[in-house]
Amino acid sequence: MNPDAKIIAAFQESPEAYLSLAKLESVTGVPRTSIASRLQLLTDHGYVFEQHPHHGYRLVEEPDRLTADAIQAVYSGGKVGSQILVFESTSSTSDVIARHASRARDGLVVFAETQTRGRGRQGRSWVSPRGKGLWFSILLRPTGGAAQAQQLTVSASVAVAHVLREEAKVDARIKWPNDIVCGSRKLAGILTEYRDTAAILGIGIDVNLNKDDFPAELQTTATSLLIETGRVHDRNRLAGRLLAALDQHYTTMARNFETVIDQWAGLSVTLGQQVKIRQGDQLREGLAQALDGQGRLILRKDNGQVEYLVGGEVTGG
Ligand code: BTN
């Protein structure tokens, strides 16, 4: 953790308290001589501190702006998040990862405040208004290569759904293949792409979008944490929690994917349902029975035949 992340973390751990320079030095290890100038820099970036002549400083406001320091104050890093970059604007965070893929460390995460050409599944675009969501991509090289793509997506959807449930207290569930939904509305999406041996896990979460932030055609099918809960959510905190959960599920996936499948089943709105699944111009119909060991959906058709599916769109059921 760098010094600014340590200072932010110290204030977040004692939300109401005044912290003296001596206390900040002992908690963060940052020399007290440089703390005042760092607090000034944080102030320039939108943090507001209240200063008490005897007791020190209290953090009273944090900017609604994603920064690597503020994310690292919540999650100091594991494999996922070995390096965190935050862009003001980019075409797609997955494009940035693709450009860095040959040189970058496993676990690199790229966030952007807005994307000008965000991509969704099935060739769709992904609406990414500035400062309203979490639009990010992660570079991973699973030992099983592209064969593990489906496991990776399944694990990520479990991690995302868990964190949204815990942090925002919404009833986030998973609609196959990997939409995170609240009721019948989509709250988040995941798109896994492969370049050579590298997986690019792209995650989009609608955090603080109002209805009007969605284009008209999505206003009846999409939702956000703000719409669901009526309050604005701290995106840095959420980002930190998400990276921690993604890291944990990435480890579990490699050791014991069965556990992840069980968690997925507990959150799924698709399993046990009679569904129609569109894949290109083909429509398949049957019972969504379970996920197999590779993360594929086992679809039992009415004629008893079984199919194993890795992508598509649930259109009914
Ligand atoms: C879906 O269609 O459900 C998947 C949406 C994935 C969107 C995210 S936002 C961050 C990353 N960059 C992109 O261009 N797409 C993914």
Side-chain angles (χ1 to χ4, degrees), residues 92-94 115 118-121 126 136-137 186 189-190 202-204:
S92 155
T93 52
S94 295
Q115 301 182 115
R119 292 195 288 279
R121 289 193 305 109
W126 183 263
F136 63 108
S137 301
K186 181 157 168 172
I190 297 168
I203 301 179

Side-chain angles (χ1 to χ4, degrees), residues 176 270-275 277 286-290 297-300:
W176 186 87
T270 312
L271 285 194
Q273 303 289 316
Q274 193 68 22
V275 290
I277 293 176
L287 176 72
Q289 196 171 308
L297 180 72
I298 305 173
L299 184 76
R300 181 167 295 278

Side-chain angles (χ1 to χ4, degrees), residues 8-117:
I8 298 167
F11 281 109
Q12 287 175 342
E13 271 155 34
S14 322
E16 294 302 316
Y18 285 95
L19 302 180
S20 65
L21 289 181
K23 175 78 179 168
L24 281 167
E25 181 181 57
S26 77
V27 173
T28 63
V30 179
R32 77 181 75 179
T33 45
S34 71
I35 288 181
S37 60
R38 293 207 172 269
L39 291 179
Q40 185 53 53
L41 271 175
L42 288 169
T43 304
D44 295 343
H45 285 107
Y47 285 82
V48 180
F49 299 96
E50 199 177 82
Q51 195 179 356
H52 187 281
H54 306 300
H55 302 311
Y57 298 85
R58 189 165 77 97
L59 175 61
V60 288
E61 202 177 311
E62 294 182 61
D64 184 9
R65 202 169 147 267
L66 285 175
T67 65
D69 286 339
I71 297 168
Q72 280 160 343
V74 179
Y75 166 65
S76 55
K79 174 156 240 171
V80 171
S82 56
Q83 189 184 3
I84 298 175
L85 302 176
V86 181
F87 289 74
E88 268 303 306
S89 174
T90 182
S91 53
S92 155
T93 52
S94 295
D95 290 344
V96 179
I97 294 274
R99 281 201 294 277
H100 286 74
S102 59
R103 310 176 293 284
R105 250 193 289 167
D106 221 12
L108 166 68
V109 184
V110 172
F111 287 86
E113 287 287 20
T114 184
Q115 301 182 115
T116 52
R117 282 202 306 278

